[in-house]
């Protein structure tokens, strides 16, 4: 666990990571991701390895930069289900009781992992959130249905 945290602190910590907030895990690394479609808070923690495996588990959680009203939660929940069916790496969760949507990625980190592979995991997570963020905005602020937002996302992927 300490090895993974040290790699992340050296790589991301110099530029982005902040101190944990009160009540948070002191081992958590926080930073603000900046994608093409917005910016959002990211928290990374490393879970202790299982006794039968030496792999650590890196938990990356992004909090999307929007709050979903109670009347929009069903539509956003449907969008979350649709996007999770398309996502390769990570899962969207929510909206929670406060109306926030999160994206979580759990990654096993082998004992021989190098810093560049950890950076790649973080970059893939950020790209996943950034790629799907417009769909959330389209449903919450643009009045699109989840089906319309996913169709638009798929069209954009084909022509990108």
């Amino acid at each position: 666990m300490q090895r993974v945290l040290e790699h992340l602190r050296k790589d991301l910590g110099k530029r982005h990571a902040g101190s944990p907030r009160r009540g948070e895990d002191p081992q958590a690394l926080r930073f603000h991701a900046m994608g093409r479609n917005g910016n959002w808070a990211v928290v990374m923690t490393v879970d202790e390895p299982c006794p039968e495996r030496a792999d650590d588990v890196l938990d990356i959680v992004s909090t999307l930069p929007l709050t979903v009203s109670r009347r929009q939660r069903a539509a956003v929940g449907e969008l979350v289900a649709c996007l999770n069916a398309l996502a390769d790496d990570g899962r969207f969760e929510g909206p929670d009781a406060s109306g926030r949507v999160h994206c979580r990625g759990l990654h096993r980190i082998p004992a021989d992992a190098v810093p560049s592979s950890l950076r790649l995991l973080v970059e893939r997570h950020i790209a996943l959130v950034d790629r799907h963020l417009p769909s959330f905005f389209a449903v919450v602020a643009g009045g699109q249905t989840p089906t319309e937002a996913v169709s638009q996302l798929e069209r954009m992927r084909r022509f990108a």
Side-chain angles (χ1 to χ4, degrees):
M1 176 170 111
Q2 287 302 325
R3 174 188 54 82
V4 173
L5 286 171
E6 286 307 313
H7 283 317
L8 290 169
R9 278 191 186 101
K10 285 178 186 172
D11 189 34
L12 296 170
K14 285 189 263 184
R15 297 171 300 204
H16 306 291
S19 306
R21 292 181 181 168
R22 189 180 325 178
E24 282 187 338
D25 181 355
Q27 299 294 332
L29 293 174
R30 305 178 57 76
F31 69 97
H32 227 73
M34 297 183 71
R36 290 182 315 216
N37 297 307
N39 56 56
W40 58 92
V42 180
V43 178
M44 296 184 295
T45 57
V46 179
D47 296 331
E48 293 286 341
C50 300
E52 63 272 0
R53 269 196 304 274
D55 298 351
D56 290 315
V57 177
L58 176 62
D59 185 5
I60 307 172
V61 179
S62 286
T63 302
L64 275 60
L66 64 129
T67 303
V68 180
S69 69
R70 289 199 184 279
R71 65 179 178 77
Q72 296 171 318
R73 291 185 187 177
V76 171
E78 184 182 335
L79 177 63
V80 164
C82 292
L83 293 178
N84 283 342
L86 298 173
D88 299 331
D89 200 17
R91 310 294 287 166
F92 288 95
E93 302 171 343
D96 62 14
S98 64
R100 302 309 297 242
V101 178
H102 306 277
C103 182
R104 178 180 301 270
L106 292 171
H107 308 279
R108 284 203 178 125
I109 309 298
D112 59 351
V114 294
S116 60
S117 63
L118 295 173
R119 185 179 330 110
L120 181 61
L121 285 174
V122 174
E123 288 172 0
R124 286 182 60 184
H125 176 85
I126 291 169
L128 171 74
V129 175
D130 195 46
R131 182 172 57 244
H132 292 91
L133 196 52
S135 297
F136 286 96
F137 289 134
V139 170
V140 172
Q144 285 187 351
T145 67
T147 304
E148 292 169 336
V150 170
S151 294
Q152 181 178 1
L153 179 68
E154 289 175 338
R155 280 194 308 275
M156 288 171 52
R157 279 186 188 167
R158 272 183 266 170
F159 296 112

